């Protein structure tokens, strides 16, 4: 008998195309079914979809570990799809060492130092987007703004060559798909990434990283003995995996939120200093990283419900961010809200180590937009890029009405 037999079972597949395209009805069903639910299609998994339990799981890294993978696969029994990340898919003491390095590389001081360059580039990208918009009547926000901005500023900060950066998008798409089942979206992204995998690892070599950049600073930490020389390129790989697709689609999701809520955009246009909190609320309302797993390291409990060792715990981060038990008017995008405690960056010791840079990118793009543009309108249907983990766009056509 399955020891989880008291936990209610749902016959929904979070990775089915219709749920990837519109996850919100599924989130409501999961939250309202109980604090922990099971899924008929995934017998090794329990699901948390409410804010309280997700917060509890993420803040107990001793019991709910990452080293067995943060996707559906359990690395204790299944071969990892790629060599394990030294920070994402690691626990103490390895995680402690790698986290310390990346925290230092992307410290508050670093964020202050990069701000002026990032701001100048945000202004340049928006000026150019407005020119294109004037010429063509509309733009694809993804092609003109959301993709190029992080691909310029964050990849420059890491210190990789300008050539071939679009390969990073294929790689990120695959990494985030690999955290779900081996379904069609995963298989297709793997096919696309095969030709670029070698390129990705080459960019992690010290010789290919600009001296002084984030990548080179990781190599300096290896030189100082904090990690081994073999580990350095693997930690550079984490920056290439985590820092592009996430911010790119967060810029997409933010504009999607604002175009859907003209009255909220009007407030931002009237007071561009609201840019940072408008971006933050977009992360809550339309969370870019939708899901993440932990693995129960031992027999334990969630909300008083016994959970067996080796169970994969699927945490529906985007659902926590719209849980009415946590948020008044949870489905409302309200730029005045200040959504402290949202889980779009995770929480606890694995909480996003680059979040200050992600916030900087969001703030600067929305500030540059708010100063130039009076109104945003959808200019035709958008197309989603279905991904097992990310809420992502292929195209997002918008019309920018100049101020
Ligand atoms: C991806 C890595 C949202 C996170 C899962 C993003 C992410 C973080 C780290 C890595 C990959 O270390 O490869």
């Amino acid at each position: 008998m399955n020891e989880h037999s008291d936990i209610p079972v749902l016959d929904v597949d979070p990775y089915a195309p219709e749920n990837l395209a519109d996850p919100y009805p599924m989130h409501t069903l999961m939250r309202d079914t109980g604090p922990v639910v099971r899924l008929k299609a995934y017998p090794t998994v329990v699901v948390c979809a409410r804010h309280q339990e997700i917060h509890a799981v993420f803040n107990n890294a001793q019991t709910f570990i990452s080293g067995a993978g943060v996707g559906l696969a359990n690395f204790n029994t299944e071969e990892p799809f790629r060599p394990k990340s030294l920070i994402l898919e690691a626990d103490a003491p390895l995680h402690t060492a790698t986290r310390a390095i990346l925290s230092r590389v992307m410290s508050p001081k670093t964020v202050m130092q990069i701000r002026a360059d990032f701001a100048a580039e945000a202004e340049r990208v928006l000026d150019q987007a407005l020119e294109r918009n004037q010429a063509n009547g509309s733009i694809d926000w993804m092609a003109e703004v959301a993709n190029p901005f992080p691909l310029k500023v964050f990849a420059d900060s890491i210190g990789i060559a300008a050539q071939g950066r679009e390969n990073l998008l294929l790689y990120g798409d695959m990494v985030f798909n690999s955290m779900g089942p081996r379904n069609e979206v995963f298989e297709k992204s793997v096919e696309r990434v095969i030709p670029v995998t070698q390129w990705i690892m080459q960019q992690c070599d010290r010789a290919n990283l600009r001296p002084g950049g984030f990548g080179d600073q990781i190599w300096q930490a290896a030189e100082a003995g904090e990690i081994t020389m073999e580990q350095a390129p693997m930690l550079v790989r984490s920056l290439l995996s985590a820092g592009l697709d996430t911010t790119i689609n967060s810029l997409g999701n933010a504009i999607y939120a604002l175009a859907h809520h003209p009255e909220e955009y009007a407030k931002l246009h009237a007071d561009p200093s609201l840019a940072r909190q408008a971006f933050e609320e977009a992360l809550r309302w339309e969370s870019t990283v939708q899901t993440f797993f932990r693995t129960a390291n031992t027999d334990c409990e969630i909300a008083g419900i016994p959970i067996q060792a080796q169970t994969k715990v699927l945490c529906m981060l985007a659902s926590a961010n719209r849980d009415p038990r946590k948020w008044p008017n949870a489905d409302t995008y309200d730029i005045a809200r200040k959504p402290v405690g949202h889980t779009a960056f995770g929480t606890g010791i694995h909480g996003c180590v680059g979040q200050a840079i992600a916030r900087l990118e969001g703030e600067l793009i929305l500030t540059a937009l708010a100063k130039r543009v009076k109104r945003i309108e959808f200019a035709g249907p958008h197309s989603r890029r279905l991904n097992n983990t990310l809420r992502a766009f292929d195209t997002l056509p918008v019309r920018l009405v100049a101020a």
Side-chain angles (χ1 to χ4, degrees):
M1 196 180 94
N2 188 317
E3 290 178 34
H4 295 156
S5 54
D6 287 344
I7 302 173
V9 184
L10 290 175
D11 189 9
V12 295
D13 181 354
Y15 301 102
E18 64 273 18
N19 289 326
L20 293 177
D22 178 14
Y24 297 108
M26 174 186 72
H27 291 166
T28 303
L29 174 66
M30 287 173 166
R31 285 192 307 262
D32 289 348
T33 300
V36 181
V37 302
R38 292 190 289 152
L39 300 174
K40 200 172 163 201
Y42 304 99
T44 59
V45 172
V46 299
V47 184
C48 297
R50 297 182 186 172
H51 187 279
Q52 185 177 324
E53 285 72 32
I54 289 175
H55 190 271
V57 166
F58 271 62
N59 283 283
N60 183 355
Q62 245 122 49
T63 305
F64 300 104
I65 62 169
S66 293
V70 298
L72 179 61
N74 185 336
F75 295 168
N76 291 328
T77 52
E78 294 164 70
E79 196 59 29
F81 176 72
R82 53 172 197 160
K84 285 208 282 183
S85 162
L86 303 180
I87 183 162
L88 177 72
E89 294 151 337
D91 301 301
L94 172 60
H95 171 264
T96 318
T98 51
R99 172 85 187 190
I101 294 168
L102 292 192
S103 295
R104 191 171 65 231
V105 169
M106 296 186 283
S107 69
K109 184 175 158 202
T110 303
V111 176
M112 278 176 51
Q113 288 168 341
I114 62 180
R115 185 178 177 99
D117 284 350
F118 277 41
E121 179 63 13
E123 306 256 332
R124 198 194 65 72
V125 167
L126 261 296
D127 280 339
Q128 191 178 314
L130 260 177
E131 261 173 50
R132 296 263 166 85
N133 184 87
Q134 244 79 63
N136 303 333
S138 67
I139 55 160
D140 172 9
W141 177 261
M142 300 312 291
E144 300 295 340
V145 181
N147 282 313
F149 180 63
L151 277 175
K152 170 76 179 139
V153 294
F154 192 66
D156 277 359
S157 298
I158 296 170
I160 66 168
Q163 267 277 311
R165 287 186 184 180
E166 60 289 346
N167 292 338
L168 295 168
L169 302 182
L170 298 179
Y171 187 70
D173 190 47
M174 181 280 293
V175 167
F176 288 101
N177 273 327
S178 74
M179 293 166 192
R182 296 331 184 208
N183 56 4
E184 197 179 321
V185 289
F186 169 76
E187 296 295 350
K188 287 204 168 138
S189 68
V190 170
E191 270 169 46
R192 284 191 298 263
V193 88
I194 289 168
V196 310
T197 305
Q198 201 192 350
W199 181 90
I200 297 287
M201 286 321 295
Q202 277 166 1
Q203 307 316 303
C204 301
D205 289 347
R206 191 165 199 179
N208 293 326
L209 291 162
R210 173 177 57 77
F214 295 169
D216 183 58
Q217 290 177 45
I218 291 171
W219 278 97
Q220 289 173 29
E223 242 169 18
E226 291 182 64
I227 51 172
T228 69
M229 290 295 190
E230 290 69 41
Q231 288 174 322
M234 287 295 293
L235 200 53
V236 178
R237 191 194 69 171
S238 285
L239 297 179
L240 301 179
S241 304
L244 279 315
D245 242 0
T246 47
T247 46
I248 285 169
N249 285 294
S250 299
L251 294 174
N253 290 329
I255 217 68
Y256 178 81
L258 288 164
H260 251 297
H261 298 87
E263 72 298 343
E264 296 304 294
Y265 186 74
K267 293 179 201 166
L268 176 60
H269 175 58
D271 181 2
S273 77
L274 295 172
R276 203 170 167 91
Q277 67 189 62
F279 184 68
E280 202 70 23
E281 171 68 347
L283 289 171
R284 183 197 69 82
W285 189 73
E286 194 78 310
S287 301
T288 308
V289 178
Q290 292 264 306
T291 50
F292 247 92
F293 291 80
R294 293 293 187 258
T295 310
N297 195 28
T298 172
D299 288 349
C300 57
E301 55 88 14
I302 300 173
I305 297 159
I307 303 294
Q308 263 179 275
Q310 295 308 317
T311 301
K312 297 297 297 196
V313 184
L314 170 52
C315 294
M316 309 296 292
L317 298 175
S319 169
N321 287 336
R322 291 206 190 193
D323 183 355
R325 295 158 193 80
K326 167 77 179 172
W327 312 99
N329 306 313
D331 288 329
T332 305
Y333 177 70
D334 169 7
I335 71 168
R337 181 192 296 267
K338 300 187 178 158
V340 175
H342 76 69
T343 57
F345 290 119
T347 163
I349 64 167
H350 285 275
C352 177
V353 70
Q355 61 184 278
I357 296 179
R359 288 194 170 102
L360 176 69
E361 292 178 26
E363 176 196 338
L364 295 174
I365 288 290
L366 293 190
T367 302
L369 178 74
K371 285 183 179 164
R372 289 167 174 75
V373 171
K374 183 170 57 186
R375 220 169 52 240
I376 315 165
E377 296 162 0
F378 289 115
H382 61 264
S383 58
R384 289 208 167 271
R385 174 157 59 81
L386 298 190
N387 182 286
N388 286 334
T389 300
L390 292 182
R391 189 118 177 102
F393 291 102
D394 270 327
T395 63
L396 182 51
V398 291
R399 185 171 305 110
L400 306 176
V401 181

